[in-house]
Amino acid sequence: DAKTTQPTSMDCAEGRAANLPCNHSTISGNEYVYWYRQIHSQGPQYIIHGLKNNETNEMASLIITEDRKSSTLILPHATLRDTAVYYCIVRVAYTNAGKSTFGDGTTLTVKP
Amino acid sequence: DAGVTQSPTHLIKTRGQHVTLRCSPISGHKSVSWYQQVLGQGPQFIFQYYEKEERGRGNFPDRFSARQFPNYSSELNVNALLLGDSALYLCASSYVVGSVQPQHFGDGTRLSIL
């Protein structure tokens, strides 16, 4: 699975959009991008995933660049409850759904 | 629907003891994976089980073992506990091994070694 690089920490004002970047420059054509977040003392929570098209669900939007070397997770209206560590993971499609390689993630702090 | 459930939520052991952690996957999920998360780091893959067979193993010593039962629940066993085994142990389930669908995690067992 490709390696990902994320900033260590970011701040965001409450009510504003939070844009979390992830670099995956060695991604291959059959690798999907997954995002999870982990709120203190809880397990990682799945947010969204995508291959090459932009994706949106009730939690967030995922924007993947045309060359697929980077992506951005967007939380459109951040709240204090969105304060968490956000992990970007890349995994080969249709293989080994049970193994995810986590980095150290981005600690997002939403401030009032 | 119930999510991934793990027990116990917290556990305190001393060095040299052994421990058994338990996990029940989401209903219908046949694959269970275990992760270790040390404070300040991301989760590290330990094992994956599917249809009661080990399908993957991370870089952990033989003191770590696991098994999966016919109802797809799973146990993680750790023998001869070391101080460095103190961590949050996470269980995750997914429907099958080869799938685009994501894993879903439980809230973990916090293991403290004294």
Side-chain angles (χ1 to χ4, degrees):
Chain A
D1 295 337
K3 179 181 172 64
T4 61
T5 304
Q6 300 176 251
T8 301
S9 63
M10 295 182 64
D11 292 342
C12 178
E14 188 177 21
R16 306 297 288 269
N19 297 280
L20 294 99
C22 179
N23 181 283
H24 31 80
S25 58
T26 60
I27 195 170
S28 59
N30 62 348
E31 289 182 308
Y32 277 68
V33 180
Y34 295 79
W35 282 84
Y36 287 82
R37 73 180 182 183
Q38 188 172 23
I39 297 170
H40 183 62
S41 299
Q42 297 181 17
Q45 176 191 23
Y46 164 73
I47 301 173
I48 198 167
H49 73 281
L51 180 62
K52 55 183 178 180
N53 298 318
N54 298 338
E55 302 287 345
T56 296
N57 63 20
E58 66 278 4
M59 291 183 66
S61 295
L62 173 60
I63 308 298
I64 302 174
T65 58
E66 190 169 347
D67 64 6
R68 303 187 67 242
K69 293 183 184 297
S70 66
S71 61
T72 301
L73 178 75
I74 301 172
L75 308 178
H77 304 287
T79 71
L80 298 179
R81 289 177 294 179
D82 292 321
T83 292
V85 179
Y86 287 77
Y87 295 100
C88 167
I89 295 163
V90 176
R91 177 163 63 80
V92 177
Y94 299 104
T95 64
N96 211 348
K99 179 182 178 182
S100 295
T101 302
F102 288 81
D104 291 336
T106 296
T107 299
L108 174 69
T109 303
V110 180
K111 299 184 175 182
Chain B
D1 287 344
V4 177
T5 57
Q6 294 186 242
S7 63
T9 56
H10 294 82
L11 201 52
I12 299 174
K13 292 286 188 178
T14 57
R15 284 178 294 175
Q17 287 187 312
H18 70 272
V19 67
T20 298
L21 311 181
R22 296 177 174 81
C23 171
S24 293
I26 291 172
S27 178
H29 284 192
K30 300 179 179 180
S31 175
V32 170
S33 298
W34 288 94
Y35 292 79
Q36 180 195 64
Q37 186 174 26
V38 175
L39 195 63
Q41 298 181 15
Q44 300 299 306
F45 174 76
I46 308 175
F47 283 114
Q48 182 195 12
Y49 275 76
Y50 176 67
E51 294 286 8
K52 297 182 291 181
E53 293 188 2
E54 181 182 306
R55 300 297 295 268
R57 182 181 185 119
N59 187 25
F60 281 82
D62 292 343
R63 300 184 296 107
F64 289 77
S65 64
R67 57 179 175 168
Q68 187 177 35
F69 299 99
N71 66 354
Y72 304 111
S73 67
S74 177
E75 285 182 353
L76 175 70
N77 295 283
V78 186
N79 294 323
L81 288 166
L82 303 174
L83 292 178
D85 296 331
S86 294
L88 179 67
Y89 288 86
L90 296 161
C91 174
S93 73
S94 54
Y95 181 58
V96 292
V97 170
S99 169
V100 176
Q101 294 307 308
Q103 291 181 285
H104 294 273
F105 287 78
D107 284 337
T109 294
R110 174 74 62 185
L111 176 63
S112 299
I113 310 301
L114 302 180

